[in-house]
Amino acid sequence: MRQNHPQLGVLRTQLANSRYDLAQAQDQEAPNLDLSLKYVFNGYRSDPLGGTAGFTESDLQGYSAELTWTLPLWDNVTGETIRKRLLEQKQLELQIRDTESVLAVGLQTVLRSLELAVENARAAQVAKDLAEAQLANGVDRFKLGRITSFEVSQLQQDALEAQEREILSRIQYESSLIDLLILTGEIYSRYNLESAAEPRGSAHLPSE
């Protein structure tokens, strides 16, 4: 959940950007030292047919060094930027902790609702199957003249109401599942919201 939730993702991105800006400001505030070193070799050969060993020593060869030291004097802007970024990071870290706490509480609530929805859906399925079985048995008994048409009508009404309750329980389950997917941030990958060309997933009621 902490990795996928969009709100947390935005806050973490802002925190990363703030840390990067802080590092840049701290780098600007620090003294800069640039050192360059060169070696110059000049000579000539005493023997036109000789190799490199034939070069004579020359006063023109030697080392050359250059040192540059930069101090950020009277730079109040960089210091203010550092203080601002430090305060911004503390605020973002606090927002992240608060958001994680709220999401954790919300997750427990949604999980309880989903668990209850699953139990209700299973109970409604059992009630619907029982009502349909009673209706089928009632029709057979009506054909044998053991019950009246009014009683059959009552059984039909009971079966219809059981079917409606079963449908409503599944809707409640699907709604609780969607709440969970939204809270965890998994709804985008579950239903491929970023790519309409890919087939969408479907939620299924857990089996016994």
Side-chain angles (χ1 to χ4, degrees):
M1 178 183 71
R2 295 182 176 180
Q3 289 74 21
N4 297 332
H5 196 272
Q7 186 177 357
L8 284 177
V10 171
L11 291 174
R12 289 196 180 99
T13 299
Q14 293 176 349
L15 180 59
N17 292 336
S18 180
R19 287 173 175 171
Y20 176 79
D21 293 339
L22 175 61
Q24 293 292 319
Q26 290 174 334
D27 182 67
Q28 292 178 3
E29 188 182 44
N32 294 323
L33 176 64
D34 296 326
L35 175 64
S36 61
L37 179 66
K38 296 185 295 184
Y39 180 78
V40 181
F41 178 80
N42 295 294
Y44 61 90
R45 291 182 298 179
S46 60
D47 182 2
L49 301 179
T52 58
F55 278 85
T56 61
E57 296 183 0
S58 172
D59 294 336
L60 300 178
Q61 64 189 42
Y63 292 94
S64 173
E66 179 180 356
L67 179 64
T68 302
W69 183 270
T70 303
L71 291 175
L73 299 178
W74 303 291
D75 183 7
N76 297 325
V77 176
T78 301
E80 182 63 27
T81 300
I82 291 176
R83 288 189 291 271
K84 181 179 179 181
R85 292 293 174 255
L86 289 172
L87 178 60
E88 183 179 68
Q89 286 185 28
K90 291 180 180 179
Q91 292 174 341
L92 288 171
E93 290 170 353
L94 180 60
Q95 290 180 34
I96 290 174
R97 289 195 296 269
D98 290 344
T99 302
E100 288 178 342
S101 177
V102 171
L103 290 176
V105 174
L107 179 61
Q108 295 300 320
T109 301
V110 171
L111 287 175
R112 286 194 295 268
S113 298
L114 183 61
E115 182 179 2
L116 180 60
V118 170
E119 294 176 357
N120 291 338
R122 289 172 177 169
Q125 180 68 48
V126 172
K128 187 193 78 166
D129 293 342
L130 179 60
E132 291 175 347
Q134 290 176 339
L135 175 60
N137 183 56
V139 171
D140 292 338
R141 296 176 62 192
F142 173 75
K143 292 178 179 179
L144 297 175
R146 296 181 179 178
I147 62 175
T148 64
S149 59
F150 176 78
E151 292 174 308
V152 173
S153 177
Q154 287 294 320
L155 291 174
Q156 289 175 335
Q157 183 65 29
D158 292 342
L160 180 60
E161 292 177 354
Q163 292 174 358
E164 292 177 350
R165 287 192 295 269
E166 192 270 340
I167 293 173
L168 290 176
S169 68
R170 283 187 169 270
I171 292 175
Q172 181 60 45
Y173 166 76
E174 295 289 343
S175 177
S176 298
L177 181 60
I178 292 297
D179 290 341
L180 177 63
L181 295 177
I182 292 176
L183 186 63
T184 58
E186 296 177 0
I187 189 170
Y188 301 100
S189 59
R190 179 66 176 265
Y191 293 101
N192 296 321
L193 297 181
E194 296 180 353
S195 177
E198 296 180 0
R200 296 191 173 188
S202 59
H204 299 284
L205 184 67
S207 58
E208 293 285 357

